[in-house]
Amino acid sequence: NAGVTQTPKFQVLKTGQSMTLQCAQDMNHNSMYWYRQDPGMGLRLIYYSASEGTTDKGEVPNGYNVSRLNKREFSLRLESAAPSQTSVYFCASSEMGARNYGYTFGSGTRLTVV
Amino acid sequence: GQQVMQIPQYQHVQEGEDFTTYCNSSTTLSNIQWYKQRPGGHPVFLIQLVKSGEVKKQKRLTFQFGEAKKNSSLHITATQTTDVGTYFCAGLFISNFGNEKLTFGTGTRLTIIP
């Protein structure tokens, strides 16, 4: 039982390059989330998908797009990377949002934009 | 917007001493969750508190939810080196329209002096 799997684990991009961060969960969870973590700022929600076929903006969506490909997979795309997007990105999932269950996080993607 | 403040930002304790981190919200929370993140790791769900005044224990960890459901605390008794990490609270806000938002505090980083 792998839980939430994120790829890649590390990535270095040049300014203006694009990339997609992949996330997959095998727990049959309905809700999935993308967070970024920066020093001293905790975890900030970028986008979320409450259920398959729906996506919504979080606190810091600018510069990102997402796709809920199916119930298992939720990808995050940076169309034109900027140094301000240097961060650690975490994908998370939960069975039915946060009302009754905690989130399960992936191991993260450490992204550096130079 | 809803914010969850967490203090202190850092705490250094001698092994065997107690540790407490506090979480405060300006508005009433539906529930509060606590997570632990080991250095270089990802957040791991510890517990959820839902009821006003609720107290839950996990071995040496005691979690409390305030009577007004606006504050919470995590207390660790007799810290051990395995307790090292950053502890995050996350407050769940539910709007009048039923939309939920889980907002993370900025975390308290605990270091243990052997």
Side-chain angles (χ1 to χ4, degrees), chain B residues 6-74:
Chain B
Q6 192 172 352
I7 57 170
Q9 189 173 0
Y10 301 95
Q11 186 78 57
H12 312 283
V13 300
Q14 291 275 353
E15 187 175 7
E17 291 184 339
D18 293 355
F19 159 77
T20 305
T21 175
Y22 301 90
C23 201
N24 290 287
S25 168
S26 58
T27 57
T28 302
L29 301 169
S30 178
N31 71 39
I32 193 145
Q33 302 178 4
W34 285 91
Y35 292 79
K36 177 183 178 181
Q37 184 176 22
R38 295 182 185 276
H42 58 278
V44 175
F45 175 71
L46 294 177
I47 207 162
Q48 176 175 278
L49 305 172
V50 180
K51 300 176 182 177
S52 169
E54 189 169 14
V55 177
K56 287 188 176 180
K57 292 188 176 183
Q58 289 180 348
K59 297 183 180 179
R60 295 177 294 103
L61 278 62
T62 302
F63 304 84
Q64 293 189 332
F65 201 9
E67 293 289 341
K69 300 184 72 173
K70 290 184 177 181
N71 59 74
S72 181
S73 65
L74 159 60

